[in-house]
């Protein structure tokens, strides 16, 4: 589990809407959810309120405004640092070290959201050799025609020897703000939405070198998921199970406490490592040489270290996990939202497992044996009855990771945006967030499945 006993990082942003929801429900306990009348939020026609868009092709990279970057073609097109636009000093807030960097900037064209959004999450895939790093920013236009500031969505490097990868707190303009990895409208009940955005990518390198990051994919998921305590049930449509490696986060408890207090909070990197290895991603003995040789599954420790967000002080930064997956040759990763378990069935049928984010009471997921304010697990298939087969890293050992969870329970805890915690307080849910990791060159069937769930 990830910070299971702490409030969700998104709870603050949704507090105003949560209070309103509680007032409509007319009570503050779980019984109120059962009495809540159906609303338009329960209409399946409104389910896919998500717009994921990415820049990945040579033509798309050429559409951006370039200041010192150049587009490169080939099997995996991207952008690299050409002639630097200038130099800048950066003081790392987590080490206090100030260093000078050469930089270049790519600014994407305006993307008009098909779904005016209350939330946006950016994600990226990049190679950052030692001596380089990147920054991703977002600027949007509100539905009233005014603009947001440029918000930092992440400062990232695959390693941790040059900078500490970090989200940036304290960003906001009184109408929207950034919560770790997520842009959010402060008060969605006002009707204010983000109608379009631009992404800005800054590439950094040590001065006087020919080093460069390479960015292959840059995208964002905008969404306007209606507030809901329950979601419509989907009909089972697939019986299939993928052979995905099984790793427990719990056997790493107490290991490397500098990375979010050790393995008990490592649900996200543990889930990521499972799917990375499913696609053939392997770490060399040299890459794992820093891990205590007495530790089992050292690759999980490695995933925790290299997904760790030094500002959030955890390994659950969504785009940092997707970016980590894409450091493995031939893999790419995105963060998006899905509409139902039918979407997951579409992916599983094409051989693509998914990592889902959910929160729940112990009584809301039969067989889990725990409750959590935020947890990632890997969906690997469906039974003949339509129930969910998940590799749940919150298990006592690797041999206990495979679980079967009731379809109706799993779908609801994953897709809802509002829930009652153990104290009867209204808190937030993930609204269908998932990580998708898949080949850099998907098969036609995989490409079709990804397109069907809105991933380009």
């Amino acid at each position: 589990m990830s910070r299971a006993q702490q409030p969700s990082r998104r709870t603050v942003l949704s507090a105003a809407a949560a209070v309103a929801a509680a007032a409509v429900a007319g009570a503050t306990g779980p019984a109120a959810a059962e009495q809540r009348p159906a609303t338009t939020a329960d209409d399946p026609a409104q389910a896919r309120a998500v717009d994921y868009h990415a820049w990945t092709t040579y033509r798309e990279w050429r559409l951006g405004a370039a200041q010192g970057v150049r587009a490169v073609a080939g099997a995996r097109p991207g952008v690299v640092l050409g002639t630097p636009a200038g130099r800048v000093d950066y003081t790392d807030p987590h080490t206090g070290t100030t260093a000078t960097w050469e930089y270049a900037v790519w600014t994407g064209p305006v993307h008009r959201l098909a779904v005016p959004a209350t939330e946006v999450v950016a994600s990226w895939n990049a190679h950052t050799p030692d001596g380089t790093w990147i920054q991703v920013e977002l600027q949007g236009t509100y539905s009233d025609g005014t603009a947001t500031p440029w918000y930092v969505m992440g400062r990232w490097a695959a390693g941790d020897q040059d900078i500490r990868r970090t989200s940036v707190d304290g960003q906001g303009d009184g109408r929207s703000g950034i919560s770790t990895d997520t842009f959010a409208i402060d008060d969605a009940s006002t009707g204010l939405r983000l109608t379009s955005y631009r992404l800005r990518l800054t590439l950094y390198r040590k001065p006087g070198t020919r080093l460069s990051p390479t960015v292959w994919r840059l995208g964002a998921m905008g969404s306007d998921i209606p507030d809901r305590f329950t979601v419509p049930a989907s009909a089972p449509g697939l019986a299939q199970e993928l052979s995905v490696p099984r790793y427990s986060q719990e056997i790493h408890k107490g290991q490397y406490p500098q990375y979010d207090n050790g393995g008990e909070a490592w649900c996200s990197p543990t889930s990521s490592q499972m799917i990375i290895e499913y696609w053939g991603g392997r770490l060399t003995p040299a890459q794992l040489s820093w891990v205590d040789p007495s530790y089992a599954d050292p690759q999980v420790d490695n995933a925790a270290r290299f997904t760790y967000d030094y500002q959030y002080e955890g390994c659950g930064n969504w785009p940092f996990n997707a970016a980590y997956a894409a450091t493995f040759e031939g893999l790419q990763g995105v963060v998006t939202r899905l509409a139902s378990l039918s979407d997951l069935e579409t992916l599983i049928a094409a051989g693509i497992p998914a990592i889902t984010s959910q929160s729940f009471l112990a009584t809301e997921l039969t067989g889990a044996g725990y409750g959590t304010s935020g947890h990632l697990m890997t969906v690997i298939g469906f039974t003949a009855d339509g129930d969910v087969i998940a590799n749940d890293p919150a298990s006592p050992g690797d041999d206990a990771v495979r679980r079967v969870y009731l379809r109706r329970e799993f779908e609801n805890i994953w897709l809802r945006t509002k829930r009652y915690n153990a104290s009867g307080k209204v808190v937030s849910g993930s609204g269908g967030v998932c990580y998708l990791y898949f080949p850099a060159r998907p098969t036609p069937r995989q490409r079709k499945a990804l397109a069907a769930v809105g991933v380009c």
Side-chain angles (χ1 to χ4, degrees), residues 110-401:
V110 172
H111 174 67
R112 187 164 186 84
L113 286 154
V115 179
T118 59
E119 291 189 338
V120 180
V121 179
S123 52
W124 55 88
N125 297 173
H127 171 59
T128 55
D130 291 357
T132 73
W133 56 284
I134 67 173
Q135 176 174 273
V136 175
E137 297 170 276
L138 175 145
Q139 182 190 54
T141 301
Y142 293 120
S143 48
D144 64 6
T146 60
T148 73
W150 278 104
Y151 288 128
V152 176
M153 304 302 289
R155 294 176 179 146
W156 184 84
D160 52 15
Q161 70 285 339
D162 294 307
I163 68 160
R164 299 290 191 257
R165 77 190 66 81
T166 185
S167 52
V168 178
D169 285 346
Q171 301 182 83
D173 64 355
R175 310 176 81 195
S176 66
I178 304 299
S179 175
T180 304
D181 49 24
T182 303
F183 163 93
I185 297 292
D186 287 348
D187 186 356
S189 68
T190 64
L192 186 68
R193 297 292 185 268
L194 199 74
T195 58
S196 65
Y197 66 81
R198 294 183 295 166
L199 296 177
R200 185 164 70 190
L201 175 65
T202 306
L203 310 182
Y204 296 91
R205 74 179 179 198
K206 290 183 175 179
T209 70
R210 299 176 65 86
L211 298 168
S212 176
T214 303
V215 180
W216 300 298
R217 172 183 283 269
L218 177 65
M221 175 269 294
S223 61
D224 185 6
I225 308 299
D227 283 342
R228 56 195 185 186
F229 287 84
T230 60
V231 299
S234 62
L238 176 75
Q240 184 174 332
E241 181 173 358
L242 305 178
S243 181
V244 177
R246 301 167 187 168
Y247 294 126
S248 163
Q249 70 196 68
E250 296 298 332
I251 67 170
H252 300 276
K253 186 175 181 179
Q255 297 176 7
Y256 302 105
Q258 64 267 40
Y259 305 123
D260 199 10
N261 202 34
E264 193 175 18
W266 290 356
C267 58
S268 192
T270 306
S271 295
S272 288
Q273 195 63 37
M274 294 187 214
I275 297 188
I276 287 166
E277 293 189 21
Y278 167 80
W279 290 116
R282 295 291 185 272
L283 293 159
T284 67
Q287 289 172 309
L288 295 173
S289 62
W290 68 274
V291 182
D292 186 323
S294 69
Y295 292 165
D297 303 336
Q299 61 270 48
V300 172
D301 299 82
N302 193 81
R305 174 180 172 181
F306 292 109
T307 57
Y308 186 74
D309 176 344
Y310 283 80
Q311 182 62 43
Y312 175 52
E313 297 184 336
C315 304
N317 182 303
W318 295 336
F320 285 11
N321 276 262
Y324 173 73
T327 64
F328 288 80
E329 185 175 0
L331 273 186
Q332 53 186 326
V334 305
V335 178
T336 190
R337 278 187 163 100
L338 301 182
S340 71
L341 285 180
S342 298
D343 279 351
L344 286 181
E345 288 173 335
T346 297
L347 294 167
I348 294 294
I352 302 173
I355 297 170
T356 60
S357 175
Q358 47 273 308
S359 49
F360 51 91
L361 301 175
T363 55
E364 292 182 303
L365 189 61
T366 302
Y370 63 88
T372 172
S373 62
H375 181 55
L376 284 297
M377 61 179 82
T378 301
V379 175
I380 65 169
F382 294 85
T383 68
D385 293 329
D387 292 331
V388 175
I389 307 172
N391 279 1
D392 188 343
S395 302
D398 291 354
D399 58 351
V401 164

Side-chain angles (χ1 to χ4, degrees), residues 427-447:
V427 293
S428 61
S430 89
V433 165
C434 72
Y435 313 162
L436 297 179
Y437 306 157
F438 50 91
R441 301 181 71 177
T443 66
R445 186 179 186 189
Q446 290 165 349
R447 193 180 301 276

